[in-house]
Amino acid sequence: MDEFILGIETSCDDTSAAVLEGTIIRSNVTATQDVHRDFGGVVPELASRAHQQNIIPVIDTALKKAKIQKNQLAAVAFTQGPGLLGSLLVGASFSKSFALALGIPLIEVDHMQAHILAHFIEEPQKKIPNPSFPFLCLTVSGGHTQLVLVRDYFDMEVIGQTIDDAAGETFDKAAKILGLAYPGGPIIDELAQNGDPERFLFARPNVPKLDYSFSGLKTSILYFIRDELKKDPDFIKKNRSDLCASIQATIVDILMGKLRNAVQQISDPRYVMREGQMPDPRSRIPDPGSRIVNVAIAGGVSANSALRNALMEAKEKEDWNIFIPPFEYTTDNAAMIAVAGHFKFLKRDFARQSTVPYARSKR
Ligand code: KG4
Ligand code: ZN
């Protein structure tokens, strides 16, 4: 029997706790905070207060659903960062005291690494295919947009990232311009189902290398809507679905463009292997000259249906092996923290009681 690990995630506005037995999920409980809805974004002070209220009931429910007692836990894994400091402190402080009281190890987990490691969560009844190393992961969330070359569980290299806004943030800001609620990504996704993605054209960034930029697109949406509203105050109302579909298509197109470039770069096995490193026998990257590559997506925006469709098309056209995590492990959740905790547990990579959270990415 594998060890039970409790994962705790409080980096933003979701209070989540999960129990994993090895890599197998036993429970994953999340309390989302509705208090931010009217503010068009997360209010940090309200988020940390809500975490304080939610954390004990959420953990209690996660243990009950997993049908285990707290003294059966082998370790507590928590999100150390990046995220909102006030929110992270609630999870970190609770985890430290809980681990100390139970006399079990404490494990610190990087939220962005955990989004990627969500691909290794297993379900008792369902076989979820997981990517073999090395693979390329497009991590797209509310705060990050990164192209990450994943050589091993904790050997990850960011080979491209946004120089300004994140993709999720762009969805959320566009939604705000359209008068939609927060978080706007899922709402745009839904409204876009009935819209024409080619109806409106927006600015595309021109950024070198594998980096992304979304601030120009955001400004282009803002100015376009402002000008159209001057001509017709009902412009948004009349064109809501087409606007959502066109904005979504632009974001997905930008994401896919750099992803394609990145795949081309890493298809060269000399790029993937470091000097003196032996090829990983589990790697599906084939002989030089061949272009099949393992491509994964992670983070909240990977729930987007247009992005998922674009990837499935690329799977056929470009001959990629595609890995899309189950819906519930894409947005913030503690199961991904627990699975990252499991791999650190195997390495006996434990944290000290003096550990502190960090707001910005260390990588
Ligand atoms: O990973 P996540 O839950 O939290 C962060 O770490 O940021 O990502 C949240 C982001 C939000 O910006 C939200 O609008 C976006 O993911 N999102 C989506 C969809 N579902 C969530 N964006 C587009 N389409 C979706 N279906
Ligand atoms: Zn996240």
Side-chain angles (χ1 to χ4, degrees):
M1 201 176 78
D2 278 320
E3 84 294 337
F4 288 113
I5 291 192
L6 173 70
I8 298 177
E9 154 65 29
T10 63
S11 68
C12 191
D13 58 342
D14 292 312
T15 318
S16 186
V19 174
L20 257 67
E21 185 179 355
T23 52
I24 299 173
I25 186 115
R26 292 295 170 208
S27 66
N28 186 31
V29 179
T30 302
T32 31
Q33 305 178 356
D34 286 334
V35 284
H36 311 286
R37 212 158 255 280
D38 297 337
F39 297 94
V42 177
V43 185
E45 181 57 24
L46 293 180
S48 38
R49 276 192 221 169
H51 283 306
Q52 282 176 336
Q53 284 166 354
N54 293 341
I55 194 156
I56 292 178
V58 163
I59 291 171
D60 197 42
T61 312
L63 289 170
K64 281 193 180 122
K65 281 198 168 171
K67 297 193 177 67
I68 64 158
Q69 304 290 325
K70 55 183 185 296
N71 56 15
Q72 287 177 264
L73 290 170
V76 180
F78 72 100
T79 309
Q80 193 190 9
L84 300 169
L85 217 44
S87 293
L88 290 164
L89 273 167
V90 178
S93 316
F94 184 91
S95 305
K96 284 187 198 183
S97 337
F98 204 46
L100 192 65
L102 293 172
I104 55 175
L106 179 69
I107 301 173
E108 53 202 13
V109 172
D110 180 273
H111 182 87
M112 299 312 294
Q113 284 190 346
H115 266 303
I116 296 173
L117 295 175
H119 281 279
F120 298 95
I121 297 169
E122 292 183 285
E123 288 185 352
Q125 315 294 354
K126 207 164 62 184
K127 179 87 195 101
I128 308 171
N130 44 41
S132 48
F133 301 116
F135 65 91
L136 181 68
C137 188
L138 172 65
T139 314
V140 265
S141 71
H144 292 81
T145 302
Q146 296 181 330
L147 283 163
V148 186
L149 178 56
V150 187
R151 294 186 174 92
D152 204 346
Y153 297 111
F154 297 103
D155 185 356
M156 301 185 185
E157 183 188 348
V158 178
I159 60 171
Q161 60 188 323
T162 182
I163 56 168
D164 41 55
D165 295 346
E169 204 177 348
T170 313
F171 269 108
D172 296 338
K173 284 180 177 164
K176 200 172 175 185
I177 296 170
L178 297 179
L180 304 171
Y182 175 86
I187 305 172
I188 290 191
D189 193 353
E190 201 180 330
L191 290 169
Q193 305 293 329
N194 305 315
D196 175 1
E198 289 173 16
R199 172 90 188 281
F200 301 110
L201 277 183
F202 297 106
R204 310 274 160 143
N206 186 11
V207 194
K209 299 189 186 155
L210 296 175
D211 287 335
Y212 287 105
S213 167
F214 287 100
S215 67
L217 169 62
K218 186 187 67 192
T219 315
S220 142
I221 297 168
L222 185 69
Y223 288 174
F224 173 73
I225 302 275
R226 188 194 59 186
D227 294 346
E228 292 301 321
L229 281 177
K230 276 185 199 153
K231 292 182 240 163
D232 176 5
D234 286 335
F235 176 75
I236 295 180
K237 215 161 100 192
K238 288 180 188 158
N239 299 287
R240 190 163 275 148
S241 297
D242 289 348
L243 282 166
C244 287
S246 302
I247 291 166
Q248 177 171 275
T250 313
I251 298 173
V252 169
D253 218 37
I254 295 169
L255 291 174
M256 290 300 294
K258 290 284 166 118
L259 178 60
R260 267 190 209 95
N261 295 351
V263 168
Q264 268 168 14
Q265 277 194 23
I266 67 149
S267 292
D268 182 347
R270 282 166 303 182
Y271 184 84
V272 176
M273 300 305 159
R274 283 181 177 156
E275 212 176 321
Q277 193 182 347
M278 292 301 288
D280 186 332
R282 290 167 300 172
S283 165
R284 280 196 221 153
I285 291 197
D287 299 334
S290 178
R291 292 192 62 256
I292 302 174
V293 176
N294 297 331
V295 179
I297 50 170
V301 181
S302 62
N304 184 264
S305 59
L307 180 60
R308 287 173 173 237
N309 291 341
L311 277 161
M312 293 322 285
E313 263 176 44
K315 176 185 160 76
E316 300 304 321
K317 256 199 199 151
E318 321 267 352
D319 228 357
W320 295 350
N321 298 315
I322 296 290
F323 299 89
I324 303 177
F327 189 78
E328 58 272 35
Y329 309 131
T330 54
T331 48
D332 289 351
N333 66 88
M336 69 185 197
I337 305 302
V339 82
H342 162 75
F343 293 119
K344 283 200 163 183
F345 185 86
L346 295 181
K347 295 198 302 171
R348 297 289 183 266
D349 183 354
F350 301 137
R352 293 166 184 265
Q353 277 287 326
S354 55
T355 178
V356 284
Y358 52 88
R360 293 188 167 274
S361 246
K362 287 199 284 192
R363 288 181 294 148

